[in-house]
Amino acid sequence: MHIDLEELTKIAVTAAQSAGKEIMNVYRSTDFGVEYKKDDSPLTKADQAGHDAIMAYLKDTGILVLSEEGKDIPYETRKDWDYFWMVDPLDGTKEFIKKSGEFTVNIALIHQGRSVIGVVYAPVLGWMYWGNGKEGGWKQEGGQEPIPLTFPEEDEIKTLVVSLSHQSPETKSFMENYPEADIISMGSSLKFMLLAEGKAQVYPRFAPTMEWDTAAAHGVVLAMGGQVVQVENNRPLEYNKENLLNPSFIASTVALKEE
């Protein structure tokens, strides 16, 4: 299969914008249609509307899709996939319900366990981020011209970004290693985007996440030269595992202290 990263990135950006429009229609309505999954995580009309909008674009690429709101695909079926799209139509459903605006549409292209395209769109804020190995990372605000994303040159940890709703004892312990650092809290995959914009240097995550929560943002950070590594073995976070639950990880744009 011939893969054109630039063309596929454009398609993913358009798909994310389309999903954003559908999600915003629900966001402005009076009925979110909130339901709860078996794990008590919330689901709204916007999750499915976003999924349908994205699928309308990605199906034409001929590349298989693994989506949080799609059907469960057994590992035996997907373990040999070379390329596939990994999608979270609405990351940060709790933030959506709270109307904080800190939720995103996430689309990633995965190749042999690695995120090679990442698209993250925050429709309320009007922020669109994307990245791939050929073009690096980019941000577009509203209808303005896209600007390239680059990490600051200084190798210093000034700011940590942590989850708004998931602060574990391990997170607090990690934060104690950097007593001089400022702390920012934010919802959804926007935490990674603070790294992409140079507003933070490290995002430690010791609470549960799923692969579709991180794949798109990981792709943007990776395209810029950053890293997202597993805490237990310092290896890059991998995708399309048998169990789609992520291990604890640390995303960073600078060198970390040796433990």
Side-chain angles (χ1 to χ4, degrees):
M1 178 186 288
H2 171 67
I3 295 293
D4 184 332
L5 288 180
E6 293 170 73
E7 184 58 32
L8 290 174
T9 301
K10 287 177 187 172
I11 292 169
V13 166
T14 305
Q17 288 168 331
S18 176
K21 286 178 186 172
E22 296 300 324
I23 288 167
M24 289 304 294
N25 286 338
V26 179
Y27 193 70
R28 296 187 190 103
S29 73
T30 54
D31 178 18
F32 288 179
V34 180
E35 300 174 2
Y36 289 87
K37 304 181 197 175
K38 291 178 184 175
D39 64 357
D40 286 335
S41 60
L43 187 69
T44 70
K45 289 178 180 177
D47 294 80
Q48 190 61 48
H51 169 83
D52 293 344
I54 291 166
M55 291 300 293
Y57 284 90
L58 297 191
K59 64 180 173 51
D60 292 336
T61 66
I63 299 171
L64 295 161
V65 179
L66 184 62
S67 170
E68 181 179 12
E69 304 315 328
K71 62 179 183 178
D72 289 334
I73 299 173
Y75 181 64
E76 282 303 307
T77 301
R78 59 182 168 79
K79 66 182 174 65
D80 296 322
W81 289 0
D82 190 29
Y83 282 93
F84 70 95
W85 294 107
M86 179 164 274
V87 173
D88 189 349
L90 178 51
D91 178 33
T93 303
K94 289 178 183 175
E95 305 303 323
F96 176 89
I97 293 168
K98 288 192 291 188
K99 286 209 163 188
S100 76
E102 293 181 7
F103 59 86
T104 56
V105 179
N106 296 344
I107 303 176
L109 183 68
I110 306 298
H111 176 48
Q112 297 178 356
R114 189 170 182 264
S115 184
V116 294
I117 292 175
V119 173
V120 174
Y121 180 42
V124 171
L125 303 170
W127 299 346
M128 175 71 76
Y129 303 87
W130 67 89
N132 62 57
K134 286 188 75 174
E135 299 172 291
W138 295 80
K139 179 185 181 184
Q140 185 173 28
E141 277 193 59
Q144 298 176 15
E145 282 295 306
I147 56 168
L149 295 168
T150 54
F151 297 139
E153 290 185 11
E154 67 266 17
D155 196 22
E156 187 180 350
I157 296 173
K158 295 179 178 176
T159 306
L160 304 177
V161 57
V162 297
S163 170
L164 272 173
S165 17
H166 301 282
Q167 285 202 20
S168 64
E170 292 93 339
T171 306
K172 289 172 181 167
S173 175
F174 183 90
M175 287 158 59
E176 287 168 5
N177 290 328
Y178 302 93
E180 302 300 315
D182 293 328
I183 307 295
I184 305 177
S185 292
M186 189 165 269
S188 74
S189 56
L190 287 171
K191 289 181 283 293
F192 287 93
M193 297 303 96
L194 290 176
L195 269 64
E197 292 196 63
K199 294 176 180 175
Q201 294 76 44
V202 182
Y203 164 34
R205 182 66 182 226
F206 297 93
T209 57
M210 300 300 291
E211 289 190 8
W212 45 71
D213 294 325
T214 60
H218 189 171
V220 176
V221 170
L222 204 61
M224 298 173 62
Q227 60 178 351
V228 183
V229 299
Q230 302 172 51
V231 169
E232 60 188 5
N233 57 20
N234 214 38
R235 291 172 54 83
L237 202 59
E238 295 179 337
Y239 297 93
N240 203 24
K241 304 185 302 296
E242 183 169 4
N243 182 349
L244 294 170
L245 189 69
N246 284 325
S248 297
F249 64 82
I250 298 173
S252 63
T253 61
V254 298
L256 300 173
K257 287 181 181 176
E258 293 292 331
E259 293 298 323

